[in-house]
Amino acid sequence: MEKMVGFENLKISGSDATNAVINLDQGNPTAFEEYWMKMKERCVVVIPGWELMSYFSDTTNVCWFLQQDLAEAIKALHREIGNAATEERYIVVGTGSSQLCQAAWFALSSLSEAKPLSIVAAVPYYSTYEEQASYVQSQLYKWEGEARTFNKPGPYIEMVTSPNNPDGTIREPVVNRGGKVIYDLAYYWPHYTPITRRLDHDLMLFTFSKIAGHAGSRIGWALVKDIEVAKKMVQYITINSIGVSKESQIRATTILNELTKTCRIKSESFFQYGYEKIKSRWERLHWVVDKTGDTFTLPNYPQAFCNFFGKNNSTFPAFAWLGCKEENDLESLLKEKKVLTRGGDRCGSDKKYVRVNMIGPDKDFEEFLHRLLTIKNPNCFDP
């Protein structure tokens, strides 16, 4: 790793911040607040009290609660970025991609003759899949864990998260026995990873939360080829929440349109800003890990040509898959330093790994780096 100008003088802080608990467990994407503050009135949404009062948006649409302006904004952004096909597809809006994931499980399993349908994902997988699938105790589907060792006969659902949460790798299905595949593409955007091709899968999930940081709006969408699957997903959301907030949809529409309008203007492009921001954080994290000697590991990501940026880029994931070279419970060890992370065992992996949020507040990330610099070997974790 090249010398980090200005960072080599980083000192170990003795301020009150050192005693604070840093929560890098949850993927709270507030790193991009500075960009949106500069946008000021350009993304202000004003809704009169008499508007958006009905449950319904368009009763002729399969997804009857989807605002048409949001549908057009989604298609325009995907078309400009070139990351996913939207033609001949039904757009299903949900309260975040978490709701859409459950809606997709319901749809695919209820349309299957065999029940319960097995749900699998390759390790390390997004921990919430297991938690959601197990929590509802559905008779339609059942969490079966590791996709690479799955050998149960019959239909199944495989979750393919690409780039993967938690380790940032590009994923493809691993079971390949004719089952249903759900592609969770929350991070397939050019500030996280090179856009190498326009994906054209049967069922693709996206979230407003991780594109530009607006997790509080709770908006996600699915691009679905099969109308029967789309109808079943809408049925689930209708029963679960009677649609999706129109206020959130209007805000998402405004911001997605701004992303599309400015994405080719380098000085204004959110994707250029986001890329530089996350790249800088990854460079500094690598610098710190190198300085700690043989204590920690980080994945290496190959470069690829990004069709959006028109050049070779590296992957800079929203999460760091931090490992410990010794056989230690890294989540517990970091907790002694008052740093909360997500243990690898929650992702079906080993306790020597943790998932670290790379898109949280600046102050939390900086303090995290300070604390890592105090660690030279596993014995330095003593409280």
Side-chain angles (χ1 to χ4, degrees):
M1 179 61 61
E2 62 182 301
K3 184 178 181 181
M4 297 302 298
V5 177
F7 198 68
E8 64 273 16
N9 295 320
L10 184 62
K11 305 296 184 184
I12 305 303
S13 173
S15 67
D16 291 340
T18 308
N19 298 317
V21 174
I22 305 172
N23 190 340
L24 301 179
D25 173 6
Q26 299 178 348
N28 198 22
T30 56
F32 308 127
E33 283 182 345
E34 181 185 28
Y35 174 88
W36 293 109
M37 288 174 68
K38 292 178 180 178
M39 292 295 101
K40 296 182 179 178
E41 71 280 353
R42 288 168 65 170
C43 291
V44 171
V45 176
V46 178
I47 302 173
W50 61 86
E51 288 188 0
L52 310 178
M53 294 179 66
S54 172
Y55 286 117
F56 305 99
S57 296
D58 181 359
T59 56
T60 66
N61 194 344
V62 170
C63 188
W64 53 266
F65 44 81
L66 169 64
Q67 293 288 105
Q68 186 57 37
D69 286 347
L70 176 58
E72 294 303 319
I74 288 169
K75 289 187 282 188
L77 183 60
H78 282 303
R79 186 165 55 247
E80 193 64 38
I81 301 300
N83 60 344
T86 59
E87 300 84 2
E88 299 182 359
R89 280 169 172 77
Y90 301 93
I91 298 177
V92 180
V93 66
T95 305
S97 59
S98 296
Q99 185 186 44
L100 287 166
C101 187
Q102 293 190 53
W105 292 345
F106 168 80
L108 296 175
S109 58
S110 62
L111 291 169
S112 172
E113 293 183 1
K115 298 177 180 64
L117 231 59
S118 298
I119 301 177
V120 298
V123 169
Y125 47 70
Y126 178 38
S127 60
T128 302
Y129 295 150
E130 179 177 2
E131 293 163 359
Q132 286 184 336
S134 303
Y135 181 78
V136 297
Q137 299 181 5
S138 174
Q139 296 180 0
L140 295 175
Y141 52 80
K142 181 182 179 182
W143 177 254
E144 296 285 356
E146 168 67 288
R148 295 184 183 89
T149 58
F150 177 70
N151 57 12
K152 189 174 180 180
Y156 62 90
I157 299 171
E158 182 175 355
M159 298 299 303
V160 175
T161 311
S162 187
N164 190 42
N165 174 358
D167 67 356
T169 56
I170 300 300
R171 291 286 186 88
E172 297 288 347
V174 301
V175 181
N176 295 316
R177 295 206 314 261
K180 300 297 184 181
V181 180
I182 300 173
Y183 288 84
D184 186 342
L185 304 173
Y187 305 97
Y188 191 54
W189 296 97
H191 51 319
Y192 296 123
T193 193
I195 304 302
T196 57
R197 60 193 175 106
R198 186 170 176 258
L199 299 181
D200 188 22
H201 302 301
D202 289 351
L203 208 170
M204 301 181 285
L205 305 182
F206 291 89
T207 172
F208 186 49
S209 301
K210 295 308 192 297
I211 298 177
H214 297 88
S217 295
R218 307 308 306 128
I219 290 289
W221 62 89
L223 303 177
V224 188
K225 275 188 179 179
D226 189 328
I227 188 173
E228 297 305 320
V229 174
K231 286 179 178 178
K232 283 290 186 181
M233 290 180 70
V234 170
Q235 179 186 352
Y236 176 90
I237 295 170
T238 300
I239 294 170
N240 184 254
S241 57
I242 321 179
V244 175
S245 165
K246 289 185 180 180
E247 285 85 354
S248 290
Q249 291 189 61
I250 295 301
R251 186 187 191 208
T253 299
T254 300
I255 290 172
L256 292 182
N257 283 336
E258 186 67 22
L259 292 176
T260 301
K261 184 176 73 174
T262 61
C263 71
R264 298 293 180 182
I265 306 171
K266 190 172 183 178
S267 62
E268 297 184 16
S269 170
F270 168 79
F271 296 104
Q272 184 67 45
Y273 168 89
Y275 175 80
E276 296 297 337
K277 176 98 177 179
I278 303 172
K279 177 185 177 184
S280 172
R281 287 192 173 188
W282 270 97
E283 288 175 342
R284 285 180 286 160
L285 178 59
H286 273 287
W287 187 88
V288 169
V289 167
D290 288 345
K291 286 291 182 181
T292 60
D294 294 329
T295 305
F296 299 114
T297 64
L298 285 169
N300 291 314
Y301 303 104
Q303 282 201 342
F305 187 83
C306 178
N307 295 327
F308 175 76
F309 283 123
K311 62 179 182 178
N312 285 326
N313 274 354
S314 295
T315 292
F316 299 108
F319 299 101
W321 189 236
L322 185 68
C324 191
K325 291 186 179 180
E326 301 292 333
E327 291 296 328
N328 286 294
D329 181 347
L330 186 52
E331 180 185 11
S332 296
L333 294 175
L334 287 173
K335 194 172 183 180
E336 293 177 9
K337 291 289 183 179
K338 298 185 179 180
V339 177
L340 305 183
T341 57
R342 186 161 304 187
D345 55 325
R346 286 182 61 188
C347 305
S349 187
D350 194 281
K351 287 188 176 183
K352 67 185 289 186
Y353 295 101
V354 295
R355 191 193 78 166
V356 179
N357 180 21
M358 293 290 288
I359 52 176
D362 287 337
K363 61 180 178 60
D364 287 356
F365 183 73
E366 299 300 333
E367 183 60 31
F368 168 61
L369 296 183
H370 277 292
R371 295 183 194 184
L372 275 190
L373 272 177
T374 68
I375 302 167
K376 299 299 182 184
N377 60 62
N379 296 325
C380 291
F381 282 104
D382 293 334

